[in-house]
Amino acid sequence: ILALPLPSKDVLMRKSGTMRRITSLLLPYTRRGVELSTRTDAAVERLVAELFGLKKKEYESIYATLDSVEKLLPVRKLKRIELADIF
């Protein structure tokens, strides 16, 4: 995670609406302490992709990597949503 290319402060300021949308999607779930629905999870992933400037091609690479370690429980949880749900 530490190696991720985080968006610059300027980009984050320009995309504050995206961050607000992410927060508004996550807040009801975190307040109730429940897991995200698949639909909400995909919506958040799409907004995160927008925030980081990731395209479908980058997500294909991410998902291919996840496929290689899918036996690990945390990774399986990450793959509750399909690439098509995000893009």
Side-chain angles (χ1 to χ4, degrees):
I1 291 175
L2 294 176
L4 286 174
L6 295 175
S8 70
K9 181 181 174 184
D10 292 336
V11 169
L12 291 175
M13 294 300 288
R14 284 194 311 270
K15 297 197 175 198
S16 61
T18 301
M19 292 187 302
R20 280 193 298 276
R21 288 195 306 268
I22 292 169
T23 302
S24 69
L25 285 168
L26 294 176
L27 198 56
Y29 293 92
T30 58
R31 284 188 173 152
R32 292 190 320 246
V34 297
E35 283 193 31
L36 299 177
S37 70
T38 302
R39 183 177 182 158
T40 301
D41 198 3
V44 169
E45 280 292 335
R46 180 66 187 111
L47 291 168
V48 169
E50 178 184 320
L51 190 62
F52 280 82
L54 299 172
K55 305 291 183 218
K56 185 176 180 183
K57 187 168 185 95
E58 283 92 8
Y59 261 81
E60 287 170 348
S61 176
I62 292 166
Y63 268 61
T65 301
L66 291 176
D67 283 340
S68 68
V69 291
E70 191 169 340
K71 291 182 177 102
L72 302 172
L73 182 60
V75 173
R76 276 189 276 160
K77 287 184 90 172
L78 284 173
K79 292 221 33 210
R80 289 183 327 143
I81 55 175
E82 298 294 323
L83 193 59
D85 295 328
I86 301 169
F87 290 94

